[in-house]
Amino acid sequence: MAVFINEEKQQFHLTNGQVSYIFHVMKNGHLGSLYYGKAVRDREDFSHFQDYGNPVPNSSHIYKEDPAFSLEAVKQEFPVYGKTDYREPAVSIKTIEGSHITDFKYKGYKVLEGKPELEGLPSTYVDEEAEATTLQIFLEDENLGAELTLNYTIFRDHAVITRSSSLRNNGSEKFFIERLMSTSIDFNHKDFIMHQLSGAWTRERHVIERRLEHGIQSVSSARGASSHQHNPFLALQNPSADEHQGEVYAFNFVYSGNFLAQAEVDHYEQTRVSMGIHPFRFEWKLEPEEAFQSPEAVLVFSDEGLNGMSQIFHQFYQRHLIPPYWREKTRPVLINNWEATYHDFDAETLEKIAASASELGVELFVLDDGWFGNRNDDTTSLGDWDENRGKLPDGLDGLAEKIRGTGLQFGLWFEPEMVSQDSRLFDEHPDWIIGKPGEHFSYGRNQLVLDFSRQEIVEYMYGKMAQIIRKAKLSYIKWDMNRSITEAYSRSLNAEDQGKFFHKYMLGVYSLYEKLTAEFPEVLFESCAGGGGRFDPGMFRYAPQAWASDNTDAVERLKIQYGTSYAYPLYSIGSHVSAVPNHQTLRETSLEMRGNTAYFGTFGYELNPLEMSEAEREKVKEQIIFYKEHRELIRDGVFRRLKSPFQGNETAWIVSAKDGSEALAGWYKVLAEPNPKKEQTLRFKGLDPSAEYVLDGSGVTYFGDELMNRGLNLSREFNGANGAQAERGGDFQSQVFYLKKIN
């Protein structure tokens, strides 16, 4: 790992043997991009990586005597507006005179061992300085009196570079930041397939692919959260690449609020990728001596296809993003009472559910919405975080003690950012909600949004939550956020500062997470936002797992979990078995398929065990035993997608030990086919080709090379004539295969 710097040529080369990132100072003092991709050896001069001597027609140029030097036609590192480039810039500033023109020129650099934290923001981290090197580039706009710092960190063991930027006002007058991207990079062609993870509530993170074309292609959120609709993720795949081979560039944003991720293709078919806080409804006034720090973007390069991209993300986040306490900690099998009772429960019912679940092998009981205030439906009491004594006569601590008496840990649901209009908190503090006084407020799930841009409200909520954690000795918190933000206005901000609202809101959320997780590191936080509405790396810095979706239908989960695995490790994906008919789709699938799907995540249940038949209870016991036997493999293994639910009727994936000693594969077929193929096989990946494996449950052995090259025979499927021989059939088929290396 090294940062090579050619002082004479003013060139910078970050490389760790897996990836190279090279840029330099151009003749006008701005930064030019030279190369990003598979590692190349360092050399004295990389200036031939960009041609500055080829004039292009109908362009503007910086220098009268050099018509070839037009910023419109060159690859840049952090472009500005107003200096001959007409593409969207990485930074845009408005002065008090109304000018938007900036001219940031190279001033110097610094190399740091390790990686500095970003104040107030979640970011990736290192345990030891030797794990990463950070290059800081300092740029200055002398007329504006502003200093721009670009942070690049390269990691020793991963094909990852992280980037962020910060602005400091060293002048004598305020100015307004209208746009400050965390990363921007130019490629010299558009020959890419863009991947995005998009959807809606109950169908989050579906994989969408499209060829890049001229113009801007983007995903974004302006909802105040990273959103169900678009994930802060974007990947560019070489058209010749696939899941298992070829080049992929991917970008992920360590932020949970409004974001913009886009690829702009210009008239010379150059592609500019930028990612950062969404400029829409963002404006940050910067007074003299003040600074603003952008969130962090994670850049991944893979020459082993989309699976290679995912494995880099997974391993990187497990090592450098998830809280250290939970990196290698076994997560408990949990049961959540939500779909079992909704708001209609009492302590006796909960204790019976917990006792029954404990007999099945469950390890953690989570009490969901409805335990506080007069919360008997979703119209009231959010904000009144005191237990409902009518439902819980012995209080939360009394219930928790009884739950623990069954052998289970105890966890609790909160939605700390929200308030019901029908609540004591709203009566006492009607001025704590966001929105302009005297105007109409919109509702989402019958609730209003507390103004987390105000520190006194964050402190109040910290006091309430910390008190309950101590009192009930919580082991787990599910942190929900069930509506998007409208009427984005804070009473604590003056007119010039209203553009700060959305970002200050997120800083408030992070501040509460920081205080709670610092004081209670052993409490497992699971983030949730109406399901998967805030499934992003920013949350994972505090909450090591996230509820992937309110949709637990096994068929829909195939797409949700498949897409989620693009960037996020299995052990971050909340996945449960629920009752049928499914509460979101009314579909009925077998208990076996529901379990076979939920295994590939953080396993749990979302049902009432008191309503299960004895046969179902026995099946659940088997599922929990199976999961516990293999959860370390699921946590630490290498995940590969084998068949895509977006491209056919079958889905398959496999997680294998890093040394190839064992593997767990899942295969799923959604709809039955008439007269299907006579011989059906599934080809595996990630095995030791020379090793012999035994297939659990059959005793049959196979060699790794035959399983990867020829494939495993799937059981016989019903075809209309083989009723006596058929081993499976009908809709919603699934099988899980566990392989153990024996020689």
Side-chain angles (χ1 to χ4, degrees):
M1 178 176 61
V3 177
F4 295 98
I5 299 171
N6 185 327
E7 299 272 5
E8 180 186 355
K9 300 289 184 182
Q10 293 187 311
Q11 295 177 357
F12 303 88
H13 180 193
L14 294 85
T15 185
N16 58 5
Q18 301 178 66
V19 62
S20 281
Y21 194 103
I22 308 170
F23 60 94
H24 72 151
V25 181
M26 298 187 293
K27 63 186 294 185
N28 69 331
H30 295 192
L31 298 182
S33 177
L34 294 175
Y35 175 77
Y36 173 40
K38 191 175 178 64
V40 297
R41 71 188 63 187
D42 193 55
R43 56 177 297 156
E44 291 183 353
D45 186 9
F46 288 104
S47 58
H48 57 290
F49 280 16
Q50 178 146 233
D51 184 0
Y52 292 104
N54 185 16
V56 294
N58 192 32
S59 65
S60 306
H61 40 94
I62 299 289
Y63 304 107
K64 182 178 180 180
E65 68 281 5
D66 186 2
F69 192 73
S70 171
L71 296 184
E72 180 181 12
V74 301
K75 304 193 302 292
Q76 297 179 69
E77 195 60 20
F78 212 76
V80 302
Y81 172 75
K83 293 294 178 182
T84 74
D85 188 358
Y86 302 98
R87 295 167 290 183
E88 292 208 346
V91 56
S92 179
I93 291 172
K94 181 179 70 177
T95 68
I96 57 175
E97 294 86 11
S99 171
H100 297 266
I101 301 165
T102 53
D103 194 14
F104 285 99
K105 294 186 176 181
Y106 177 73
K107 184 181 177 185
Y109 73 89
K110 182 191 287 185
V111 176
L112 307 170
E113 293 305 314
K115 180 179 185 297
E117 294 185 354
L118 304 184
E119 185 177 355
L121 286 165
S123 62
T124 58
Y125 65 88
V126 295
D127 291 334
E128 301 172 1
E129 288 186 347
E131 292 178 307
T133 303
T134 298
L135 170 66
Q136 293 183 316
I137 299 291
F138 305 109
L139 305 164
E140 184 178 39
D141 185 321
E142 291 185 350
N143 293 328
L144 189 61
E147 182 177 83
L148 173 63
T149 302
L150 306 183
N151 299 301
Y152 301 79
T153 297
I154 185 164
F155 291 79
R156 182 187 59 198
D157 302 323
H158 309 273
V160 172
I161 289 172
T162 62
R163 289 187 59 180
S164 69
S165 54
S166 63
L167 262 171
R168 180 175 179 80
N169 186 348
N170 292 328
S172 57
E173 295 180 335
K174 64 186 176 186
F175 57 76
F176 297 86
I177 305 171
E178 298 177 314
R179 179 189 186 99
L180 183 64
M181 293 289 105
S182 296
T183 188
S184 177
I185 185 169
D186 292 348
F187 296 90
N188 64 0
H189 64 90
K190 71 171 184 67
D191 198 16
F192 290 117
I193 296 171
M194 175 173 154
H195 293 250
Q196 64 192 67
L197 303 176
S198 299
W201 177 74
T202 66
R203 50 180 172 85
E204 296 90 344
R205 292 174 300 287
H206 284 204
V207 176
I208 308 293
E209 302 176 18
R210 50 177 154 166
R211 292 293 292 250
L212 283 189
E213 288 299 340
H214 294 81
I216 293 175
Q217 294 103 120
S218 70
V219 290
S220 65
S221 172
R223 296 170 173 268
S226 48
S227 86
H228 302 270
Q229 285 71 19
H230 299 295
N231 195 259
F233 166 88
L234 181 157
L236 298 181
Q237 170 203 334
N238 185 309
S240 65
D242 56 30
E243 280 281 14
H244 308 292
Q245 61 79 36
E247 293 184 342
V248 180
Y249 299 87
F251 306 82
N252 203 193
F253 197 32
V254 189
Y255 192 60
S256 311
N258 293 348
F259 76 93
L260 173 65
Q262 69 180 30
E264 179 177 7
V265 178
D266 68 15
H267 54 296
Y268 290 111
E269 299 192 346
Q270 299 182 117
T271 299
R272 170 168 295 169
V273 176
S274 52
M275 175 174 275
I277 292 176
H278 203 312
F280 179 69
R281 294 280 77 88
F282 172 81
E283 185 180 76
W284 196 276
K285 181 182 68 176
L286 209 58
E287 296 281 4
E289 303 304 317
E290 288 185 345
F292 178 83
Q293 173 65 55
S294 83
E296 183 175 59
V298 176
L299 284 63
V300 161
F301 170 77
S302 165
D303 62 352
E304 296 180 350
L306 293 163
N307 270 317
M309 167 199 75
S310 300
Q311 290 155 19
I312 294 168
F313 272 123
H314 296 180
Q315 292 164 22
F316 180 66
Y317 286 161
Q318 284 180 296
R319 185 67 187 83
H320 295 289
L321 181 65
I322 285 173
Y325 181 87
W326 290 103
R327 278 196 310 231
E328 298 175 357
K329 197 82 172 174
T330 297
R331 311 278 176 75
V333 175
L334 71 84
I335 188 165
N336 184 303
N337 75 304
W338 180 240
E339 292 195 3
T341 66
Y342 291 102
H343 295 96
D344 185 16
F345 60 80
D346 56 23
E348 184 179 358
T349 302
L350 299 177
E351 290 162 22
K352 287 180 179 176
I353 291 174
S356 179
S358 180
E359 292 173 359
L360 301 176
V362 169
E363 299 164 308
L364 166 68
F365 176 85
V366 177
L367 174 54
D368 210 283
D369 192 359
W371 58 266
F372 51 89
N374 297 312
R375 185 80 166 173
N376 296 314
D377 56 40
D378 63 10
T379 64
T380 179
S381 299
L382 279 176
D384 295 344
W385 299 110
D386 296 302
E387 64 266 59
N388 181 328
R389 288 279 177 171
K391 292 181 177 179
L392 310 176
D394 295 329
L396 268 178
D397 50 340
L399 174 67
E401 196 60 36
K402 289 179 179 175
I403 298 293
R404 281 191 286 273
T406 68
L408 302 187
Q409 302 171 55
F410 182 67
L412 203 57
W413 177 95
F414 282 95
E415 193 169 6
E417 300 158 65
M418 301 293 156
V419 65
S420 302
Q421 200 161 14
D422 180 12
S423 67
R424 191 177 65 249
L425 183 67
F426 184 81
D427 290 341
E428 295 172 355
H429 301 286
D431 59 329
W432 278 14
I433 63 169
I434 66 166
K436 192 175 177 185
E439 296 189 357
H440 175 263
F441 302 129
S442 302
Y443 297 86
R445 204 184 180 230
N446 304 306
Q447 59 201 49
L448 303 170
V449 184
L450 290 172
D451 187 353
F452 263 48
S453 73
R454 295 165 59 179
Q455 192 59 31
E456 71 271 26
I457 298 175
V458 172
E459 290 295 333
Y460 170 84
M461 205 53 65
Y462 160 74
K464 296 296 292 186
M465 294 180 72
Q467 180 187 36
I468 294 168
I469 293 171
R470 295 187 198 103
K471 175 182 173 183
K473 299 175 184 173
L474 299 183
S475 300
Y476 165 102
I477 285 179
K478 182 181 179 183
W479 181 319
D480 213 337
M481 192 266 194
N482 270 304
R483 63 159 292 181
S484 300
I485 292 177
T486 56
E487 288 89 19
Y489 181 94
S490 174
R491 301 168 198 231
S492 69
L493 298 172
N494 61 38
E496 279 191 337
D497 288 322
Q498 287 296 331
K500 295 180 176 179
F501 169 75
F502 273 117
H503 185 57
K504 285 180 70 70
Y505 179 91
M506 280 316 310
L507 294 180
V509 173
Y510 291 144
S511 170
L512 182 54
Y513 259 118
E514 184 70 39
K515 290 170 72 70
L516 291 172
T517 56
E519 184 172 347
F520 306 103
E522 73 286 358
V523 174
L524 175 61
F525 283 77
E526 179 160 3
S527 71
C528 177
R534 214 158 53 180
F535 202 109
D536 58 70
M539 284 290 116
F540 288 127
R541 182 64 186 89
Y542 309 105
Q545 60 192 56
W547 187 224
S549 174
D550 278 348
N551 192 343
T552 50
D553 174 74
V555 172
E556 292 302 314
R557 275 300 183 119
L558 296 177
K559 290 182 177 177
I560 293 169
Q561 293 177 206
Y562 189 98
T564 303
S565 75
Y566 262 44
Y568 306 106
L570 294 190
Y571 229 44
S572 69
I573 302 172
S575 56
H576 295 174
V577 175
S578 60
V580 291
N582 182 268
H583 292 202
Q584 285 73 43
T585 64
L586 300 182
R587 183 180 283 127
E588 295 199 36
T589 56
S590 67
L591 184 55
E592 180 179 22
M593 182 177 185
R594 283 174 272 155
N596 288 347
T597 304
Y599 288 145
F600 295 85
T602 61
F603 192 66
Y605 289 86
E606 201 92 13
L607 44 69
N608 190 346
L610 302 173
E611 297 175 353
M612 295 166 60
S613 68
E614 196 53 41
E616 290 172 325
R617 290 177 60 81
E618 290 303 312
K619 183 64 180 176
V620 167
K621 287 180 184 176
E622 292 174 11
Q623 289 177 336
I624 292 174
I625 290 171
F626 182 85
Y627 182 76
K628 288 178 179 176
E629 287 176 350
H630 302 298
R631 60 183 164 189
E632 280 74 24
L633 172 62
I634 293 167
R635 180 189 68 199
D636 301 330
V638 179
F639 179 77
R640 291 174 173 84
R641 294 173 296 272
L642 303 176
K643 287 178 176 286
S644 170
F646 301 100
Q647 296 175 356
N649 193 26
E650 296 178 54
T651 301
W653 47 47
I654 187 170
V655 57
S656 55
K658 291 174 183 171
D659 62 1
S661 59
E662 58 178 337
L664 183 70
W667 170 88
Y668 316 86
K669 184 171 186 175
V670 174
L671 297 176
E673 297 172 86
N675 195 9
K677 285 175 60 178
K678 179 183 176 186
E679 189 173 281
Q680 301 177 34
T681 58
L682 177 63
R683 294 172 65 178
F684 293 152
K685 295 283 185 183
L687 304 178
D688 179 349
S690 61
E692 185 178 10
Y693 292 86
V694 62
L695 178 63
D696 188 43
S698 74
V700 180
T701 66
Y702 304 89
F703 289 99
D705 54 1
E706 67 179 274
L707 290 171
M708 293 193 291
N709 296 318
R710 189 269 176 185
L712 178 74
N713 285 337
L714 295 174
S715 55
R716 290 174 181 148
E717 185 173 12
F718 179 72
N719 61 12
N722 64 353
Q725 296 82 22
E727 298 166 290
R728 59 184 169 90
D731 295 339
F732 316 135
Q733 303 170 31
S734 72
Q735 288 182 263
V736 167
F737 308 99
Y738 175 68
L739 294 158
K740 181 74 175 177
K741 181 177 175 180
I742 55 173
N743 287 305

